[in-house]
Amino acid sequence: MNSRLFDSKLPLSGISVFARMTELANRYSAVNLAQGFPDFSPPVQLFDYLNEGVQKGFNQYAPMPGLLQLREEISNRLKNTYQHDSDPETEITVTAGATQAIYTIVSSIIRHGDKAILFEPAYDSYAPSIIANGGIPVYLRLNEPSFDIPWDELEATLAKEKIKLIIINNPHNPCGTILSKDNVNRLYTMAEQYNCILIWDEVYDLLVYDNNTHHSGLEHELMLKRGIVVYSMGKTLHNTGWKIGYVIANSYITSEIRKLHQFTVFSVNTPAQYASAMFLKNHFDFFKKLSEFYQTKRDFFVKNLTKCGLEILPASGSYFILARYNFDKSISDESFAQRLAQYCQVACIPISAFYHDRYDSRIVRFCFAKKEETLQIACERLNNSIDKIQISK
Ligand code: PMP
Ligand code: GLN
């Protein structure tokens, strides 16, 4: 018997698009350019540090906010990169990835009926985090084709509705766009005027291309008043499976986040924290080369997609790139992605999955965090067999 003892908190959520598309990739032996993860190894020094951590006895619960040496190294890295001073004791919390960080932050702020602005396409965990906590997402669509912020609509929404929280993703997944310094300042000015908190999801902060600069939410003078910034080690150390993230916020917000953090995960994998701390301490140069490393992959992918007929949109950050198909508008992006996996053996993400109303502008997302040979195979398959998508109709 399958009686329902309670109503779903997330009645509109199914299995995540990343899991669905990875399953499809496996089913059709497709190259998985769908879910965002590298297919190459993390730096080997990390493995040595992990082993060292285990041997040295870092095997029991870590302190609830994170290993102090990791928080100190994070503080150093933020000082080094953004000239931001953060107190490891009171302003940095290590989480089980950025996903848990975002959920816990939202959960500590949002109460029943509170409204939070999301810009769509939006990373898939934002809306469910708000809804599960009784909040109401207010969706604003980014302008196409630039995917920049619809400033007038934002201003009008803030003036009309009481908004508690705005979630910003920069560099942006799935669009690959980045915000200018002026954009960051403008968001803070609006947040100050309308008394909102800003969550900056900056998990791709070190993946910015073409000599652009990442403008962090950390760099503004209002950061310690109303900013919360989230990072993920997985994106920079090529180890998404280690699930280590961290949150920077003022001491009041941090203490509120930690109250929930301690009752959800309590603390994060200790040897992995030790290894991350040692890597940050001894291999800081690794991070300085990341942009170049990924830019080469982006350029390789774009250069080799010579005759597949996809319109590749510009990507200045993150490890994703968008592609629009113009040859048959009657195929939905979901169906296009399914056919691409089945007939071309390349998996991607339909970006309607990042809109609450499944808005479909015939665009799909590819992840280029892959070995050159993987990208090469994907490009060959796309170039040679994309017409099968139409024949298969
Ligand atoms: N935010 C964005 C924009 C992401 O793309 C991801 C996933 N890569 C996350 C948050 C979650 O990061 P993590 O894997 O550390 O939970
Ligand atoms: N962030 C990754 C992406 O955008 C996926 C993470 C996940 O599978 N939950 O593809």
Side-chain angles (χ1 to χ4, degrees):
M1 205 172 100
N2 186 15
S3 65
R4 292 190 179 183
L5 295 179
F6 62 92
D7 289 336
S8 169
K9 281 192 160 189
L10 296 172
L12 301 179
S13 289
I15 305 293
S16 102
V17 68
F18 309 119
R20 277 197 295 116
M21 289 300 154
T22 288
E23 195 275 317
L24 211 61
N26 294 340
R27 190 181 330 149
Y28 294 116
S29 306
V31 180
N32 190 353
L33 304 190
Q35 195 174 25
F37 64 89
D39 72 344
F40 40 85
S41 173
V44 289
Q45 298 92 334
L46 258 186
F47 305 155
D48 296 335
Y49 292 134
L50 188 67
N51 190 23
E52 185 178 294
V54 172
Q55 302 292 339
K56 279 189 169 174
F58 286 85
N59 298 305
Q60 308 308 331
Y61 293 128
M64 180 273 283
L67 272 191
L68 186 57
Q69 59 255 65
L70 177 56
R71 285 181 283 142
E72 283 170 351
E73 291 309 328
I74 290 169
S75 177
N76 291 340
R77 106 114 175 135
L78 298 175
K79 177 79 181 161
N80 205 305
T81 318
Y82 301 117
Q83 291 71 54
H84 176 80
D85 286 308
S86 46
D87 181 346
E89 295 280 2
T90 59
E91 294 174 351
I92 300 176
T93 308
V94 178
T95 57
T99 312
Q100 185 242 317
I102 292 161
Y103 187 87
T104 306
I105 297 164
V106 169
S107 198
S108 63
I109 296 170
I110 290 291
R111 290 164 187 263
H112 186 78
D114 283 343
K115 293 183 176 166
I117 288 184
L118 302 183
F119 297 104
E120 290 189 313
Y123 186 62
D124 73 331
S125 82
Y126 301 161
S129 302
I130 295 161
I131 295 166
N133 284 290
I136 304 167
V138 176
Y139 302 100
L140 299 185
R141 229 180 248 176
L142 293 170
N143 294 320
E144 267 186 62
S146 57
F147 291 105
D148 50 23
I149 292 175
W151 293 103
D152 292 345
E153 213 186 323
L154 174 60
E155 179 80 52
T157 307
L158 289 168
K160 198 169 77 194
E161 309 196 37
K162 176 83 204 89
I163 300 291
K164 198 160 193 184
L165 191 67
I166 305 176
I167 306 186
I168 301 136
N169 179 205
N170 177 38
H172 194 271
N173 174 10
C175 299
T177 46
I178 54 175
L179 295 180
S180 67
K181 181 106 194 137
D182 182 53
N183 292 165
V184 173
N185 291 343
R186 207 163 162 187
L187 285 161
Y188 268 112
T189 306
M190 286 180 163
E192 180 73 356
Q193 185 181 351
Y194 294 103
N195 197 22
C196 313
I197 298 167
L198 298 175
I199 298 182
W200 300 90
D201 175 347
E202 298 190 3
V203 301
Y204 302 102
D205 74 316
L206 297 176
L207 280 54
V208 169
Y209 313 124
D210 310 316
N211 294 320
N212 280 298
T213 303
H214 170 66
H215 298 290
S216 171
L218 288 177
E219 291 169 308
H220 198 276
E221 62 196 14
L222 289 171
M223 160 62 199
L224 280 182
K225 184 171 175 194
R226 50 182 77 254
I228 305 173
V229 189
V230 177
Y231 295 101
S232 169
M233 290 287 183
K235 305 295 156 192
T236 43
L237 292 177
H238 315 321
N239 61 353
T240 59
W242 286 31
K243 294 297 294 184
I244 297 189
Y246 49 100
V247 182
I248 319 299
N250 72 30
S251 58
Y252 170 73
I253 297 177
T254 297
S255 70
E256 288 306 306
I257 292 169
R258 287 180 185 175
K259 284 181 191 171
L260 288 177
H261 176 73
Q262 69 183 340
F263 295 126
T264 44
V265 290
F266 185 73
S267 66
V268 175
N269 185 306
T270 314
Q273 286 196 64
Y274 173 86
S276 307
M278 293 303 287
F279 193 86
L280 276 174
K281 185 174 175 192
N282 297 323
H283 304 277
F284 198 72
D285 277 357
F286 173 87
F287 300 102
K288 297 190 180 142
K289 296 183 192 138
L290 271 179
S291 282
E292 194 190 334
F293 174 77
Y294 275 113
Q295 184 174 322
T296 307
K297 293 188 180 299
R298 180 201 64 177
D299 293 347
F300 180 87
F301 185 60
V302 173
K303 193 176 100 223
N304 283 281
L305 276 181
T306 45
K307 49 184 172 89
C308 70
L310 292 171
E311 179 195 349
I312 304 295
L313 306 188
S316 307
S318 84
Y319 48 46
F320 302 109
I321 195 157
L322 296 181
R324 191 195 304 271
Y325 55 95
N326 295 314
F327 40 80
D328 191 340
K329 296 272 178 203
S330 69
I331 306 176
S332 69
D333 66 352
E334 183 78 34
S335 165
F336 181 86
Q338 289 196 5
R339 290 166 200 216
L340 208 63
Q342 187 172 358
Y343 300 107
C344 300
Q345 292 177 296
V346 177
C348 63
I349 299 285
I351 75 157
S352 60
F354 298 99
Y355 290 89
H356 73 289
D357 55 1
R358 299 291 172 258
Y359 167 72
D360 184 351
S361 48
R362 311 298 190 252
I363 295 177
V364 294
R365 186 196 82 175
F366 293 104
C367 170
F368 56 81
K370 306 292 166 189
K371 291 182 217 149
E372 208 161 274
E373 58 261 39
T374 310
L375 294 173
Q376 173 86 46
I377 296 169
C379 289
E380 278 164 16
R381 289 183 183 177
L382 288 168
N383 287 335
N384 297 334
S385 52
I386 206 157
D387 351 335
K388 288 189 192 157
I389 296 220
Q390 277 164 298
I391 298 162
S392 67
K393 261 174 88 177

